[in-house]
Amino acid sequence: MKFFIALLVMGILTQNFVLAKFLGICPFLGVSKKLNTAVGMSAAVIFVMLLATAATYPLNMLLEKYGLGYLQTIVFILVIAALVQMVEIVLKKYVKSLYQALGIYLPLITTNCAVLGVVILNIDNIGIYSAQGFGFWHAMVNSFAAGAGFMLAMVLFAGVRSRLESADVPKALEGLPITLVSASIVSMSFLGFSGLVEGLHLLG
Amino acid sequence: MAQEKKSLGQELTKGFLKENPVLRLVLGTCPTLATSTSVVNGVGMGIAATIVLICSNVAISALRKVIPAKARIPAYIVIIASFVTMVQLLVKAFVPALDKSLGVFLPLIVVNCIILGRAEAFAGKNPVLASAADGLGMGIGFTAALFCMGTVREILGAGTFLSGIDSMIGGSFTGFDFTEGLAKVGLAPMTLFILPAGGFFVFGMLMAAANRLAERKGKEKATLSCAGCPHAATCADLNKNCEPAEKEAQAK
């Protein structure tokens, strides 16, 4: 149980996917202008991350069994792409309301490095997870934490940006530069969480 | 994109500055921020991505008449992923230190927007040689941007320059180390610059400098316009979609 909580704290706060690991920067900068799109996009990312982990984790065992571990990257990206397409079709046909909420974001997610990143990181961590007993569920919790961390960063940053729009910015920094500098400050504030996992004695 | 015919040389050099993928087109931000903690790291990433970019550009351009338009993105992804796997295996075999320091970002070259972006914006429409030149030029531009970021961050953040170069290319040269000299005058490196926050900050400043240069030449500022991004259409839809929704909210 402790390990699950540690995974959640790490994914959301200390090892935040966007602000500490630099995964998913494109949507972080591109889709964070408005709060509702930021929330929609990150909800879709959490959804796809969980599905992708559920699909690739067992698949990796199969690859390892036949000594095809080196095909990991190519298999995973194809699985994610196919999965996203399938989810889009299924949602469109059967779950209209969810499709209206998440549908437009789905095509953007295929080549989102956060999704492929979490899948690969989970496979890299298999040793750590299996030492704790559960493997698969740890991977799922880790994916959820990564997605939730992405959402937190997006929502926080959407707030910062809305304030930024009315701010009087030095001319040279207008536009993207000031956005990056404010991202830097948000990221710096997350440094305050470092040591939280160790301090709470959640590991070990 | 290419209305007027450009010479091979122009296709090559446009990626250096005029259409620098990182600073002008704003593509590949994730690896730029993540791997520029040191010069050696950043340049290693740049070279790996350049190799993938040239190979995938050539392959996609050669196959551009065979690949059906509707299935082109999955086809591109498969081609790119194959080259990434090859580069991954080569790096693992010959430069294991680089494999370790790039970590997850080596396989993530697959989803680097520069590569898919160039496939979509250039290689899918242009002949093989021009695509190879475009790939090389964009790769050099990417590497140069990573070099700049890496230099600033390494010198300010770690007090070293080119550290770890011996583990990448062999030899006895281990890079410069300014920390002792700094300590004599009572200064220490600002670790913040190699932390993520410093990455965002240096990138922002570099972008501001690039914007200033572009402005002087009468060009527009760099924006996250998804210039070469295959999902540009979706993005545009997204921004259109959210405006009416907001107006409705305001009306209420």
Side-chain angles (χ1 to χ4, degrees), chain B residues 58-107:
Chain B
V58 168
I60 286 164
S61 158
L63 292 170
R64 68 184 188 280
K65 290 188 181 128
V66 187
I67 298 172
K70 273 194 177 158
R72 69 182 191 287
I73 302 269
Y76 294 167
I77 291 179
V78 176
I79 293 172
I80 295 168
S82 324
F83 285 117
V84 169
T85 306
M86 285 179 215
V87 168
Q88 221 180 330
L89 292 175
L90 286 173
V91 170
K92 269 198 181 119
F94 294 106
V95 215
L98 185 65
D99 176 57
K100 231 183 194 164
S101 65
L102 293 184
V104 73
F105 282 92
L106 196 58

Side-chain angles (χ1 to χ4, degrees), chain A residues 19-26 29-30 34 70 73-74 77-78 104 107-108 111 113 171 174 176-177 180 184 187, chain B residues 26 30 33-34 77-78 85 88 105 108 110-111 113 116 196-197 200-201 203-204 215 221 224 231 234 238 246:
Chain A
L19 298 167
K21 283 196 178 142
F22 292 131
L23 290 164
I25 300 287
C26 290
L29 296 176
K34 289 182 186 100
Y70 62 91
T73 314
I74 189 164
I77 187 75
L78 282 178
I104 38 172
L108 283 172
T111 54
C113 55
K171 195 165 171 282
E174 269 170 14
L176 212 45
L180 285 163
S184 159
S187 163
Chain B
V26 201
C30 301
L33 288 164
I77 291 179
V78 176
T85 306
Q88 221 180 330
F105 282 92
L108 283 184
V110 178
V111 283
C113 325
L116 196 57
F200 280 116
F201 183 76
F203 193 31
E215 218 175 352
K221 280 186 179 170
L224 198 72
H231 302 303
T234 325
L238 211 62
E246 203 170 63

Side-chain angles (χ1 to χ4, degrees), chain A residues 41-62:
Chain A
M41 176 77 184
S42 18
V45 165
I46 297 180
F47 188 59
V48 174
M49 272 180 175
L50 285 174
L51 272 177
T53 308
T56 53
Y57 201 84
L59 199 65
N60 182 59
M61 288 178 190
L62 204 69

